[in-house]
Amino acid sequence: MGNYILKLYITGKTPKSERAITNLKNLCEVELQNQYEMVIIDVLERPQLAEDEKILATPTLIKELPPPLRRIIGDLSDTEKVLLGLDLQPYVKHKQ
């Protein structure tokens, strides 16, 4: 598994934004285990970045690497859909 570059676009400190950040951090800790770089971008503070990426709704998660580029809109609370969107298989602990 290569390193993931994930960008989460949010709009201020709304409850939905906070949920998306928490859900993404939890998912990355469990599924990607330090093999990721996460960037959180507030479109109110950096509107040009959102315009460049053609962000129409927030929160929006963009997986830049590894290819292909993927976009997921929402608070990322449905872990199965997020994993599918990121082309990830759920982490399975090996039984001994």
Side-chain angles (χ1 to χ4, degrees):
M1 175 179 357
N3 286 332
Y4 282 72
I5 296 179
L6 305 170
K7 291 184 177 179
L8 180 62
Y9 290 82
I10 60 169
T11 305
K13 295 196 177 281
T14 65
K16 197 170 187 176
S17 295
E18 297 294 327
R19 268 196 315 274
I21 292 169
T22 300
N23 289 335
L24 182 58
K25 285 181 178 176
N26 290 339
L27 186 141
C28 287
E29 290 297 319
V30 173
E31 303 294 338
L32 299 177
Q33 302 174 350
N34 298 324
Q35 295 182 337
Y36 65 94
E37 177 181 334
M38 181 185 347
V39 180
I40 298 172
I41 300 164
D42 187 338
V43 300
L44 297 177
E45 295 175 1
R46 307 191 66 187
Q48 187 60 49
L49 288 178
E51 188 173 323
D52 292 346
E53 290 288 348
K54 298 179 177 30
I55 302 297
L56 301 175
T58 59
T60 295
L61 175 64
I62 297 179
K63 180 192 77 160
E64 288 193 345
L65 290 176
L69 187 138
R70 299 278 187 190
R71 290 174 179 248
I72 302 169
I73 298 172
D75 66 5
L76 312 174
S77 59
D78 189 334
T79 304
E80 294 297 321
K81 285 185 179 179
V82 175
L83 292 175
L84 185 64
L86 295 176
D87 293 328
L88 280 171
Q89 297 295 320
Y91 177 73
V92 178
K93 292 182 180 180
H94 297 284
K95 295 182 180 178
Q96 294 183 4

